[in-house]
Amino acid sequence: MSNTAESWLDQRLDKLALPKALPESLPEVPSFNPEMLPEELRSYVLDVAQRIQCPPEYCAVSALALLSGLIGHKVRMRPKQHDDWEIVIVLWAVLVGDPSAMKTPAIKAMRFPIDGIEADARREHEKAAKAHKEEVELFDVAKAAAKKKAKEQAAKGDMDAAKATLSSVSEPTPPAPAERLILNDATVEKAGELMNQFNNHLTILRDELAGLLAKLQQEENAAERAFYLECFNGDSRFTYDRIGRGTVAIERCALNIIGGIQPSKLAPIVRGAKGTVNDGLIQRFQLAVWPDAKQSWQWIDRRPAPKAKERFAQVFYRLHSLELGVDDDGNPPAWRFTPDAQELFIEWMTEINIECRSGNLSPLMAEHLLKMPKTVGSLALLFAVIEGEQGSVGETSTARALEWADFLRAHAERLYSAATNSGIQGAKLILKRRNKLPNPFKVKQVKQRGWQGLDTTDAVQGALDLLVEHGYLTEMEVPTTGRPRIDFYWHSEYIPNQESE
């Protein structure tokens, strides 16, 4: 560029108005309302949130997902009065936040009753295994004696007596495996075997869900991804064939999932859910919460509230031991809404179905909302069981579930903003790292950096367009011997300090 052109450009940049602040990339979310939780859970959730200084919604969704696993296949929900549409309680929760957001401590604080139940089960299994070992030793002695006596009887020609003697000694039945409620890392095959052994649902706990979700995105893990998709339904049959294990049929696939993820790792996963690869996996994380980061911190050192903690634990123990029987066909009971509750559900479900078909929502958001009736039905049934309702789901439990629906929708909008508002996030990242770019620079120079979310030409161009629109850059077409090139110039107050690169 000639000296005259450079001078003209400098004067033009100097006269430009001050840049405007970039818009917020995250939609607002409401504050958590403790009244959305049953009273027996509420006090301990708030106590933990205050002591470890985490958003209470982290604790709340973790507790609800864990409790849903304890109900498992014991009771189901039929949201219509005559139709056979049936919901099995399965909840997938994801806690979105930075590494310092206290996601893992929140999950750990909520799972202590589950750990206690599993510890009791292991102790009982150890006792049973020890008793079984003694019974086997006695069986071996009795079997040897019976064989000796039967041999004598057979030698005398009394074959019926010999058979009776041998059959009089029966091998002791081995104890059932210790009950499992939590999985951290298991193959599909092992998870399937455990599902067939227990009536409760298993819950996968992952401190960091990014690894699991990234794994499921890989083409070679398509079968495993299909397995997880079926597990969300709660009552699907899944069969796999392996050379080592043979054919294993899982009669009722059901898995709850709870885990944390960082926003920077979530964004590419959400963007990957668009288009042909979208099979609804990310939309199944219905209990997704992405609260605002806490801006303050203080030293807190006190004991957990004992009464609140005990009441909280008792809900887990009660649901774990819950027995509601089966119907004449051997199926678990199915509850329906009471008349008042039914009206609330019909009104809400009509509204979201009309909205989702209006074309005014992003495809991801519409798909998410269309899965929400299962979530609302699950939460309403869960609240009804916790509150001790019998045979049907009442108005209070349903209203509470619908309040959750509104709350979770706001968080879902923030979740999917990682895809729909990625240009804002990219623009902010370029602005933050402007010292690593020359002045002027080209689209390919940004793309070559490999920065998060800026790995395609379209993504970079979208981010740069925003920076131009808000007054941080000027876009200039530069003639060349071939096609003209596009250069981007930082405005004077945003020219990088070349020495800091």
Side-chain angles (χ1 to χ4, degrees):
M1 184 181 297
S2 67
N3 292 335
T4 303
E6 287 182 357
S7 176
W8 172 84
L9 178 61
D10 289 340
Q11 292 175 14
R12 179 181 174 186
L13 293 179
D14 287 339
K15 292 179 181 179
L16 289 170
L18 291 175
K20 296 179 293 185
L22 289 169
E24 290 296 325
S25 58
L26 295 180
E28 292 185 1
V29 292
S31 300
F32 179 75
N33 177 11
E35 298 294 324
M36 293 194 299
L37 288 174
E39 187 178 353
E40 293 172 278
L41 304 176
R42 193 181 307 154
S43 297
Y44 184 64
V45 164
L46 296 178
D47 176 64
V48 170
Q50 183 185 36
R51 284 188 292 107
I52 69 175
Q53 300 179 70
C54 76
E57 44 266 67
Y58 283 170
C59 300
V61 298
S62 300
L64 294 177
L66 288 167
L67 285 165
S68 70
L70 295 179
I71 290 181
H73 297 292
K74 298 172 185 176
V75 60
R76 299 182 177 188
M77 181 69 198
R78 289 193 174 179
K80 295 183 177 181
Q81 293 299 314
H82 307 290
D83 197 271
D84 61 356
W85 170 30
E86 199 167 73
I87 292 174
V88 178
I89 295 183
V90 174
L91 297 175
W92 289 11
V94 58
L95 286 55
V96 185
D98 293 326
S100 59
M102 306 299 286
K103 302 183 295 295
T104 299
I107 296 172
K108 182 179 179 181
M110 294 297 104
R111 64 175 284 182
F112 81 90
I114 297 287
D115 293 337
I117 292 170
E118 283 195 330
D120 290 342
R122 286 193 298 271
R123 284 191 290 267
E124 290 300 319
H125 177 73
E126 290 170 0
K127 291 179 183 177
K130 182 178 179 181
H132 177 256
K133 181 179 180 182
E134 295 171 351
E135 291 171 356
V136 168
E137 292 174 352
L138 292 174
F139 166 74
D140 291 339
V141 173
K143 182 179 179 181
K147 288 178 68 174
K148 181 178 180 181
K149 183 177 179 181
K151 185 176 181 181
E152 294 172 353
Q153 292 169 331
K156 294 176 181 180
D158 193 351
M159 303 304 294
D160 290 338
K163 291 179 182 179
T165 299
L166 289 175
S167 61
S168 65
V169 181
S170 58
E171 187 171 359
T173 303
E179 184 178 24
R180 293 286 302 280
L181 300 172
I182 298 295
L183 290 178
N184 296 113
D185 186 19
T187 63
V188 170
E189 295 82 3
K190 183 60 179 179
E193 289 181 2
L194 293 172
M195 286 180 195
N196 283 338
Q197 291 174 357
F198 308 117
N199 200 36
N200 298 313
H201 292 170
L202 295 167
T203 298
I204 292 181
L205 285 182
R206 298 289 289 263
D207 289 345
E208 183 53 65
L209 272 176
L212 174 63
L213 295 176
K215 175 185 176 184
L216 295 180
Q217 284 185 316
Q218 298 170 3
E219 186 175 349
E220 60 267 27
N221 295 316
E224 188 170 349
R225 185 182 180 98
F227 170 75
Y228 277 92
L229 293 173
E230 292 294 336
C231 284
F232 182 77
N233 297 328
D235 59 354
S236 299
R237 195 173 190 271
F238 193 88
T239 302
Y240 60 82
D241 301 285
R242 298 291 186 271
I243 294 176
R245 295 177 181 265
T247 298
V248 176
I250 308 169
E251 296 301 326
R252 297 178 298 189
C253 273
L255 272 177
N256 298 294
I257 302 177
I258 307 171
I261 193 167
Q262 298 173 34
S264 61
K265 295 182 179 180
L266 174 69
I269 293 172
V270 174
R271 283 195 294 270
K274 297 189 294 183
T276 57
V277 297
N278 179 21
D279 54 12
L281 179 69
I282 196 69
Q283 292 90 330
R284 283 165 165 78
F285 284 92
Q286 290 276 300
L287 267 61
V289 289
W290 187 347
D292 295 329
K294 283 187 169 291
Q295 301 298 320
S296 61
W297 187 90
Q298 59 181 318
W299 177 260
I300 297 176
D301 182 11
R302 62 173 175 79
R303 294 181 182 276
K307 291 183 179 179
K309 187 173 184 178
E310 179 60 24
R311 290 186 72 190
F312 180 86
Q314 286 301 320
V315 176
F316 282 76
Y317 302 146
R318 177 158 53 85
L319 265 58
H320 176 250
S321 60
L322 182 70
E323 293 184 6
L324 296 173
V326 295
D327 61 20
D328 295 338
D329 297 324
N331 297 316
W335 293 9
R336 299 183 192 271
F337 290 116
T338 62
D340 290 341
Q342 186 72 72
E343 289 184 13
L344 291 176
F345 186 78
I346 291 173
E347 180 182 0
W348 171 81
M349 189 165 173
T350 301
E351 288 176 358
I352 66 161
N353 273 276
I354 292 173
E355 184 181 10
C356 289
R357 288 160 175 78
S358 68
N360 296 327
L361 297 175
S362 70
L364 285 176
M365 193 65 207
E367 292 157 8
H368 186 98
L369 290 181
L370 289 174
K371 294 186 185 300
M372 196 168 273
K374 172 179 168 61
T375 303
V376 169
S378 296
L379 288 173
L381 178 59
L382 176 60
F383 295 146
V385 173
I386 292 174
E387 298 287 6
E389 297 179 35
Q390 298 293 325
S392 60
V393 177
E395 185 178 9
T396 300
S397 295
T398 305
R400 180 172 277 147
L402 292 174
E403 189 174 357
W404 268 100
D406 293 340
F407 178 79
L408 293 170
R409 173 175 178 159
H411 283 267
E413 289 171 349
R414 176 171 283 193
L415 180 80
Y416 295 121
S417 72
T420 57
N421 296 340
S422 57
I424 299 174
Q425 297 171 6
K428 289 184 175 181
L429 185 58
I430 293 173
L431 194 58
K432 181 179 179 180
R433 299 180 179 176
R434 58 187 179 272
N435 286 340
K436 298 186 180 299
L437 291 169
N439 190 46
F441 64 90
K442 306 171 186 62
V443 167
K444 68 177 182 180
Q445 290 175 301
V446 179
K447 182 182 174 184
Q448 289 168 349
R449 294 319 195 260
W451 292 337
Q452 186 74 52
L454 295 168
D455 49 357
T456 66
T457 299
D458 288 343
V460 173
Q461 187 65 57
L464 294 177
D465 288 344
L466 273 171
L467 290 172
V468 170
E469 179 184 345
H470 286 78
Y472 294 91
L473 292 172
T474 288
E475 182 179 11
M476 179 163 291
E477 186 176 287
V478 180
T480 66
T481 55
R483 294 177 57 187
R485 73 170 191 267
I486 301 297
D487 285 349
F488 291 89
Y489 287 81
W490 291 105
H491 293 177
S492 57
E493 62 269 40
Y494 277 94
I495 293 176
N497 180 0
Q498 301 297 327
E499 296 178 359
S500 65
E501 290 190 40

